Structure formats: structure tokens, C-alpha cells
Amino acid sequence: MPRNRNGIPAYQKIQSAVQRRIESGRLKPGDAVDSERELARLHRVSLMTARHALSMLEREGMVQRRRGAGTFVAPPKIHFNKLMSFTEQMGGRNLAAHSKVLHCGPTDGEPEVAAKLGLPSDAQLLKIERLRLGADDPFAIETCYLSAAEFSGLTRAQLERGSLFSLLQQDYAIQLSYADEEIDATAADARTAQLLRVARDLPLLRMRQVLYSSKAKPVLYVTGLYPSDRHKLLIRRYR
Amino acid sequence: MPRNRNGIPAYQKIQSAVQRRIESGRLKPGDAVDSERELARLHRVSLMTARHALSMLEREGMVQRRRGAGTFVAPPKIHFNKLMSFTEQMGGRNLAAHSKVLHCGPTDGEPEVAAKLGLPSDAQLLKIERLRLGADDPFAIETCYLSAAEFSGLTRAQLERGSLFSLLQQDYAIQLSYADEEIDATAADARTAQLLRVARDLPLLRMRQVLYSSKAKPVLYVTGLYPSDRHKLLIRRYR
DNA sequence: AAGTGGTCTAGACCACGGC
DNA sequence: CCGTGGTCTAGACCACTTC
């Protein structure tokens, strides 16, 4: 039997093929997906490989498997607590997103941040401070920290142009997958108030995030300040 | 080769065995777990079966697998986004939880709250305002709204004694299952500041929750004010 | 070079669901 | 009853990390 050498794994190809049929709408929620044996026959792989493909789709919540019955397209996911870049959030409201880079350069006096990124406490970090604007109104101030060693190629120009999320994905092949956030409230200091064009001492939401790659490696530390008249955080929590 | 008939699957046994070694502390975060081949040899199963066990443990976040290197115990899980009653939260910190009922009675001038609970806008509501104390220090002010018709039997005395969560569960057979929350920041007004024993205008986290039963019926609306020096909200969000 | 996880085969038997 | 997913075997080669 010919083997798939140095290419995309067979189970991923099968997975994508099924996924395309679901996302294109040819298969609707509740519809039966090809069975393991059917997929194995069609793609000329063994049962275990076809199984693996369906197993991954189930893990992602695209299908549900029922023993004795079959594999079925799952109802569309509800995206609560979704991790979105600023650009994506603004896109959802049909607002043009811009960023003004206030600062972009190396620091090394931040041992606590380094620790959160799993780096030695004397590691050099790249610090990026940005004012986030939607339709030219200031929405937030965000400060990002990354390992300077790993992301030395990052330039200010790249940041002005596009989203840091997509930059990491395209230029560094890093897929951000989840974030742990700590949220509290604070008051605007003079500089913050001026930048965000709000009154001094206005209550702000403060968010501190550690963003992890799909391999559970901490990649990015972000602290953000969000005036509460322009942001509402929506969370669904489960018992 | 003898096969395991009508019992617990072999991969689950292996999974539990490894899990026990981790939870008992014999294996600490960062330690290497037995390799696939080692587990296969020890438990006299094939490689695929040992793989399955480690794969499940990885999915549950107990271990991390690194190609070429091995399988390692992951840092301990933190329970994120969990819906907990105030009593449960305090219990987790080993603090005695108390509540002082500031107000408890019917209202009907709250059409917006009624709407969030899926009731007609003129529905009568039961309004309960409580000061939450942990080890006699004030931690939060919470105001709950319930349908007056459905929960007419609720008395002030019951509330003083125990958790509203368990009251709903035991006396009304209502299992709370998830909540949608809206979070922003606000400043303490004079009354709030006095009750929480904080300075006026101190930034507070404000949370507005709609709590749903396990049958997805809105049961409870809660607004809360949390001084940010005593509360940190921890959230995990996914891409 | 030795050991690890990742992919894969070509079968097998079982438990379960629906007809 | 037949088809489904769930478990399992006894191997194989590959890509990768560590030494």
C-alpha cells in the first residue's frame, strides 16, 4: 500500500474535506456524515485513520458521534467568551480599526512580565504600547509584551498596518488559542485620561491577559485599559 | 493474547493509573511521564492503546506531549469561568461567609429587569439586597431579582441563614446551570462607599448577571458591586 | 545514535441503534 | 438483522529532540 510521505497527514485531509462540506452548507446540522468505514473506503485509508479524522472533528465540536447510530453534524457553535483581536471586534461593529503606536522597543526591567511568559526574569522583552481607535475615537490603551529574542523582526511599521494576531500567525506561524484574563477596575490617571479623551479618575476596566499558542505556550502578555462607557465585557460562565 | 471483555477499557485504566500518580503528588509538574512504549510494556497493551491513554490525558490538560522529547506533567489546572455562589467562593478561601440582608420585598417598577427574566414588564418582582461579608469584612453588595409569583415563599430568615443557590435547589428544585454576565467599571457612590467601607469614588467592578436554570429558563437577575482591591475576576477565553 | 511522539496499516471483536 | 461507533492488536516508518 502506498504511504503518504512528507505531506499533510491523511487524517487531516479527510478532516478538511468533511469540514468543507459542513461549512459550505452542503451538510446541515443533524445530517449524517460519512461513516468511518465509508470514509476509509473513499480515501483509501485504514479504519483507524478515518476514525482519527472524525475524532478530531468531534473534539472541535463540528460533529457528534453516537455509537450504533452514526456521526452527525453538530448544531452551530455559540461563540461565547471568544478571544478576538481588536481588529476583529471592531469589524463586528462595522467600525474601521486603527492603532497608534505610542511606544515600541525593548525593555528588560519587567521580571514579573517575563515570569508570566515563562521566560527567565532577566529576559529582554519587546514592549508595544498602542492607542486603539475605532472610527477615529479612542477605545482603549493596550500594552503588549513579547519575547524580544523570539520576535526580533517585528517592526513598528508592521504594527501600524495590521493586527498583531495575524502578524503572529502569518510571519511566525503562531496560532493563538486561548487567554487567561484577570479583570479589575481602576481610575484613569492624567496621561491615560488625556489619551482616551475622558475625565481624570473615570473608572476603567483593566484587563491583564496571558495569551497562549495552540501548543499551550505563553506567547504574549497584554494589559489594557478600557473606558467603561465604551466597553462591556460579556461572559458566559457555567456551573 | 487475552482480551479485556466487558470491563473498563484498557486505555482508561492506564489513564487512571497515570492520573493517580500525578494527583497523589508522586509526579510533579514538569516531570516526565512513562513513555508510550513504556506504558505499553508495563500494561501489556499495544502502542496504540497506550497512546490513546496519554492522548486523553493531554486532552484533559493533565499532561503535555512534546514530539521527540516525551510526555510531561502539566501545571495544575485552575477552574476558570466557573459559576459559584458567594458561599462557595468564600469556602474556597477558607473564609466564613455571611450576608446582611439590607432589603427584601416586592417591587414592580423594574420593567427592564422583568424583561431580562422573560416576564411581562408589569410583573411583580422580589428584590433582595444583600451586603456580603467574608470573615466580617464587607466584600460586595449584591441585588437579586426573582419572579415574585414563583418565589412567594422566600423569607428574609431563610436568606440570612444560607445560600440563595442552595435554597433554590432544595426548596424549588431549580438547578442553576449557567449565567450571562455583563461587566463594567463604576465609581462608589456615598451609600455604597459607606457600606463597603471604602473611599467615595473608588473604582468598582460592576457585574450584571442573568442566571439560567438547567432548562435554559432565566431565573435570577443579579447586579453586584465589587471593590477591585478585594476581587479579581479570572476568565479563560478561547479562540 | 537512541529514544520519543506522530502517523498509519489491515485486520479483529464488541456494544449498541434502528429497522 | 446490518451498520454504526468503540476498543484493540502487532507491527511499521517517519520526524523530531536530546545526548
Side-chain angles (χ1 to χ4, degrees), chain B residues 1 4 9-11 44-46 48-49 52 67-68:
Chain B
M1 201 72 202
N4 167 26
Y11 78 90
R44 300 157 161 278
V45 296
S46 81
M48 284 297 279
T49 304
H52 194 171
R67 177 199 294 233

Side-chain angles (χ1 to χ4, degrees), chain A residues 1 9-11 45-46 48-49 67-68:
Chain A
M1 201 70 204
Y11 77 90
V45 296
S46 82
M48 284 296 277
T49 303
R67 182 202 291 237

Side-chain angles (χ1 to χ4, degrees), chain B:
Chain B
M1 201 72 202
R3 191 79 62 109
N4 167 26
R5 285 172 201 279
N6 66 24
I8 296 165
Y11 78 90
Q12 282 182 23
K13 285 190 197 168
I14 300 171
Q15 195 184 334
S16 316
V18 176
Q19 199 159 338
R20 270 197 305 278
R21 298 219 311 174
I22 294 172
E23 280 166 355
S24 73
R26 298 221 294 286
L27 285 173
K28 284 174 209 151
D31 287 359
V33 172
D34 287 338
S35 73
E36 300 177 350
R37 288 161 178 83
E38 191 71 5
L39 285 174
R41 196 176 56 74
L42 288 171
H43 292 85
R44 300 157 161 278
V45 296
S46 81
L47 251 183
M48 284 297 279
T49 304
R51 244 191 100 62
H52 194 171
L54 289 179
S55 194
M56 295 300 274
L57 284 170
E58 185 185 37
R59 194 189 303 202
E60 288 173 20
M62 306 244 0
V63 303
Q64 283 177 260
R65 320 190 70 193
R66 290 209 306 276
R67 177 199 294 233
T71 301
F72 304 88
V73 178
K77 274 190 273 195
I78 305 168
H79 283 173
F80 283 94
N81 305 0
K82 217 183 149 190
L83 184 58
M84 291 200 300
S85 77
F86 178 73
T87 312
E88 288 168 334
Q89 282 180 54
M90 287 298 125
R93 303 195 212 176
N94 288 324
L95 290 175
H98 295 282
S99 292
K100 193 175 156 191
V101 178
L102 303 172
H103 175 91
C104 178
T107 25
D108 50 7
E110 310 267 12
E112 288 174 26
V113 176
K116 297 207 190 221
L117 291 177
L119 299 170
S121 63
D122 61 346
Q124 226 189 27
L125 299 173
L126 190 59
K127 177 178 175 179
I128 302 161
E129 193 181 26
R130 292 182 293 179
L131 181 65
R132 308 297 225 147
L133 305 144
D136 295 327
D137 287 324
F139 264 75
I141 299 174
E142 286 181 351
T143 310
C144 309
Y145 297 86
L146 305 90
S147 157
E150 236 173 312
F151 302 98
S152 54
L154 260 177
T155 68
R156 196 182 185 110
Q158 289 177 302
L159 288 168
E160 300 267 8
R161 253 203 313 281
S163 145
L164 180 56
F165 269 46
S166 51
L167 208 70
L168 289 177
Q169 210 174 120
Q170 284 159 29
D171 295 8
Y172 295 89
I174 288 173
Q175 190 64 260
L176 293 174
S177 128
Y178 65 96
D180 284 343
E181 303 185 356
E182 205 177 296
I183 294 143
D184 64 0
T186 186
D189 62 21
R191 176 170 175 266
T192 304
Q194 197 217 320
L195 285 167
L196 290 173
R197 287 190 229 140
V198 298
R200 243 206 100 164
D201 293 327
L202 185 92
L204 303 174
L205 274 183
R206 174 166 50 192
M207 228 157 71
R208 302 180 176 97
Q209 297 182 304
V210 182
L211 288 93
Y212 296 84
S213 75
S214 48
K215 283 182 287 186
K217 183 192 167 201
V219 173
L220 191 59
Y221 180 72
V222 185
T223 76
L225 293 170
Y226 308 87
S228 63
D229 55 349
R230 282 162 223 171
H231 290 84
K232 281 203 185 92
L233 190 57
L234 294 179
I235 299 288
R236 172 165 289 190
R237 43 176 60 185
Y238 298 89
R239 183 99 170 115

Side-chain angles (χ1 to χ4, degrees), chain A residues 115-137:
Chain A
K116 296 208 189 222
L117 291 176
L119 299 169
S121 63
D122 61 346
Q124 223 188 29
L125 299 173
L126 190 57
K127 177 179 176 179
I128 303 163
E129 192 181 26
R130 292 184 293 178
L131 181 65
R132 307 299 224 145
L133 305 146
D136 295 326
D137 287 324

Side-chain angles (χ1 to χ4, degrees), chain A residues 141-158:
Chain A
I141 299 175
E142 285 182 351
T143 310
C144 308
Y145 297 85
L146 305 90
S147 157
E150 237 174 310
F151 302 98
S152 53
L154 259 179
T155 68
R156 196 185 185 107
Q158 289 177 303

